[in-house]
């Protein structure tokens, strides 16, 4: 599994790219493999407010429906609407075109909880 070194990660397989006060959020390649083939993806509305750990959408696969939870608190500033029509983009380009949303993050302490690539690689090796 490819784990880009410039990103941060969560224990539940989201990646986060911090760009000043914005954070681009997606699902890691490993997380996507764990989910299986996505049929449908429901993402939050732009301008909605999330708190870390809040439910923000669903990922429906052949086998089940999975809840998605916010890795950071903040205002949703952009949503990748392409994914609602073309979920294969997630698998083809999980770290570039497969981003889920952009959040204007609120708490620096939440960013400090994220794993670096090395720690994330250790985590997925244990799973």
């Amino acid at each position: 599994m490819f784990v880009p070194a410039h990103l941060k990660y969560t224990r539940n397989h989201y990646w986060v790219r911090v760009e000043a006060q914005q954070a681009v959020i997606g699902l890691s390649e490993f997380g996507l493999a764990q989910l299986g083939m996505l049929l449908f993806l429901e993402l939050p509305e732009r301008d909605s407010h999330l708190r870390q750990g809040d439910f923000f959408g669903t990922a429906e696969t052949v086998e089940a429906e999975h809840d998605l939870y916010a890795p950071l608190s903040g205002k949703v500033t952009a949503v990748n609407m392409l994914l609602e029509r073309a979920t294969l983009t997630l698998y083809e380009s999980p770290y570039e075109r497969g981003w889920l949303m952009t959040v204007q993050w609120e708490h620096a302490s939440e960013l400090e909880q994220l794993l670096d690539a090395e720690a994330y690689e250790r985590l997925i090796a244990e799973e």
Side-chain angles (χ1 to χ4, degrees):
M1 295 280 154
F2 179 58
V3 178
H6 69 285
L7 301 175
K8 299 291 186 182
Y9 300 87
T10 68
R11 295 188 179 282
N12 51 354
H13 310 297
Y14 293 95
W15 58 262
V16 176
R17 184 176 66 235
V18 179
E19 300 173 346
Q21 286 294 116
Q22 301 286 317
V24 181
I25 298 168
L27 290 166
S28 73
E29 186 178 351
F30 182 83
L32 288 166
Q34 297 296 98
L35 284 175
M37 184 53 68
L38 280 172
L39 301 174
F40 177 77
L41 189 63
E42 180 182 353
L43 296 172
E45 294 290 321
R46 187 169 184 245
D47 294 327
S48 60
H49 188 270
L50 302 173
R51 294 179 65 114
Q52 185 180 44
D54 279 358
F55 167 83
F56 73 80
T58 56
E60 185 178 323
T61 66
V62 174
E63 297 182 12
E65 187 172 292
H66 305 274
D67 292 340
L68 301 174
Y69 297 97
L72 299 171
S73 300
K75 178 182 174 185
V76 177
T77 56
V79 177
N80 190 348
M81 300 305 291
L82 169 67
L83 299 179
E84 291 184 349
R85 296 183 311 278
T87 57
L88 282 178
T89 303
L90 282 165
Y91 301 95
E92 294 166 353
S93 180
Y95 302 110
E96 296 298 327
R97 293 181 301 124
W99 59 277
L100 301 176
M101 63 183 170
T102 302
V103 173
Q104 184 176 350
W105 58 269
E106 295 177 342
H107 306 291
S109 61
E110 293 175 356
L111 296 173
E112 294 167 8
Q113 296 169 11
L114 299 174
L115 305 173
D116 63 17
E118 187 176 311
Y120 185 66
E121 286 176 326
R122 284 194 304 270
L123 174 76
I124 61 177
E126 294 170 2
E127 291 191 14

